[in-house]
Structures are given as C-alpha cells and as structure tokens.
Amino acid sequence: MKDNTTAEVIIRVRGLKNQFGSHVVHENLDLDVCRGEILGVVGGSGTGKSVLLRSIIGLQKPTSGSIEVFGIDVLADAEAARDTLDERWGVMFQDGALFSSLTVRENVEVPMRAIQGLAPTLRRELADLKISMVGLEYLAGDKYPSELSGGMRKRAGLARALALDPEIVFLDEPTAGLDPIGAAAFDDLIRNLSRSLGLTVFLVTHDLDTLHAICDRIAVLADRKVLATGTLEDMLGVDDPWVREYFHGPRARAAFKPSSPDVASGEDP
C-alpha cells in the first residue's frame, strides 16, 4: 500500500451536493484523491458511486459544492481549461461503452482525432499500441464490439481510455460481469498499468477481490457522503452497520483470507 500522508492531492471534492428532484444523493461530500494511488469507491445501491464519478469528469452538474482536478475548478473554469482536463484523464464506463459501428481500433482512435496534425497512419499505430498494452491480440483491432467477449470489450474500453496517455483513469465497475479468472486478470492489468505508467486510478467497484488485490485506499459512500476513507485494514475497524456487514461478511472473509487471518476466523481485528 502507498503512503498517502505526504502525497499530492490531484482531485479535491468539497461540499458536494447532487440532487434529482426531491431525492438528495450526495450532501456535504468531501473526498481527496492522491497522485499515483488506486482508490476504490464502494457503497450500497443508490449511494451515488457512478454519480460521483460523473460529477468529477463533468458529465453531471452538481447542485452545489466544488471539484478541483489538477487545481482547475471543474465546475467553473472556462471551456479551454476543461478541454485541457479532458486530455489528462481517460474514462472507461461499464462494459466498455464502445461505439458499435466502429472497430476496436477505430474506437481507440476516437479521442486521438482531436489532436490536430496527427497523421492517420500514426494514429493507427498508436491505437494498435494501446490495444497491445491492454493484452488484446493485434487482430482484435479489426473486430467490432459485437464480435468480442465481455472481457475483451472491457479491455478495448480501457485501451480507448488510455488513448491520450492520461494521468488519471476513471473506471466504472471494471470487473462487473466477468468470471473470477477474468476479473483477477483484469485486476492484474489495472495494477500493472498503474505502476508502469504512473497512473492515478479512480475505481468504482463492488468487487471485494478487487479491493483486496489492487486498491491502495478505499472510500465508502454512505449517508449521502464519504463515510470513511483509508486502507483495507482501516475499513475493518469502522463502526458502521453497512461497513461491518460488507467488510466482515462471508464473502469478505473468503476474499481476504490469504492475508487477513483475523477476518477469516470471524474475529474482530
């Protein structure tokens, strides 16, 4: 696990409120994300995990609050500043969210088309590089999303998220729907890319195995805010009914058994 006590904060959320009609999803939500960490965001159904992600990247306009990324106010700064941010982060939505009428290679090329003067040949070569980086074979570039398995579509979506060499990658439920072997392989891929590329990863997940395998810190959403942040070991000591059920339940004991004997035995740490 990384030491975040002196790490640079590159995403800073303060007093965030998201409301849809009379339904308040977030209120007075604060969160920091540090450079180079893999942050896992968890919470019960309806706690607004994906809404928080969409708020940070500008797809959801909050009712109030502030969001800064690299010191830029996401909610208030000029369009040019937002364009700069779009080049510094990549996003992978659930199931890859690929354009069905484009091949994998063409999907990966989409963000690159905003770069003026980038020759089509070079754009194609860069796309093939990204496809290779996520563990897809070269021939996958010529396939359409409908011709891919679920795991391959997720890898293609990740390749597109990496198209512009971002500093931050946002992943929304990246292992959802994968079998245990495929999910573990995808976890390994995220961890290896994060370390080799120096990526900061904001990862919305419900997968306990993912939290255990790759996350440096965990943020728990509950009661309309970030209830707790910390390492996996920190979560085991949080006195909250949902947190205790989530991190001390049978599935958690199975996921954490190799390195958390106290959890495996059912004893409190």
Side-chain angles (χ1 to χ4, degrees), residues 13 17 23 54 57 108 126 135 232 245 261:
V13 181
K17 181 176 182 178
H23 178 55
R54 292 170 63 87
I57 63 176
V108 177
L126 289 172
L232 179 60
E245 181 179 0

Side-chain angles (χ1 to χ4, degrees), residues 137-203:
E137 61 180 18
Y138 177 78
L139 293 178
D142 294 320
K143 295 183 180 296
Y144 290 91
S146 61
E147 300 176 289
L148 304 178
S149 68
M152 292 175 70
R153 284 196 299 272
K154 287 179 182 289
R155 288 175 183 260
L158 181 57
R160 187 176 63 187
L162 296 173
L164 298 181
D165 298 325
E167 298 170 61
I168 306 173
V169 174
F170 294 90
L171 307 176
D172 193 359
E173 297 283 6
T175 59
L178 298 182
D179 63 73
I181 294 175
F186 203 87
D187 286 341
D188 288 340
L189 174 63
I190 294 170
R191 181 180 58 239
N192 292 336
L193 287 173
S194 172
R195 300 303 181 247
S196 61
L197 301 177
L199 293 172
T200 301
V201 180
F202 182 102
L203 187 156

Side-chain angles (χ1 to χ4, degrees), residues 62 64 93:
S64 60
F93 296 104

Side-chain angles (χ1 to χ4, degrees), residues 21-37:
S22 61
H23 178 55
V24 178
V25 180
H26 303 136
E27 190 163 26
N28 294 322
L29 184 152
D30 296 339
L31 178 66
D32 289 339
V33 182
C34 299
R35 183 181 293 277
E37 75 172 337

Side-chain angles (χ1 to χ4, degrees), residues 76-107:
D77 275 56
E79 189 68 26
R82 287 298 316 283
D83 289 343
T84 299
L85 284 177
D86 287 342
E87 296 174 1
R88 300 180 70 179
W89 67 42
V91 185
M92 191 195 96
F93 296 104
Q94 292 187 35
D95 200 37
L98 301 170
F99 297 108
S100 60
S101 61
L102 302 180
T103 65
V104 169
R105 182 181 297 107
E106 290 168 340
N107 267 279

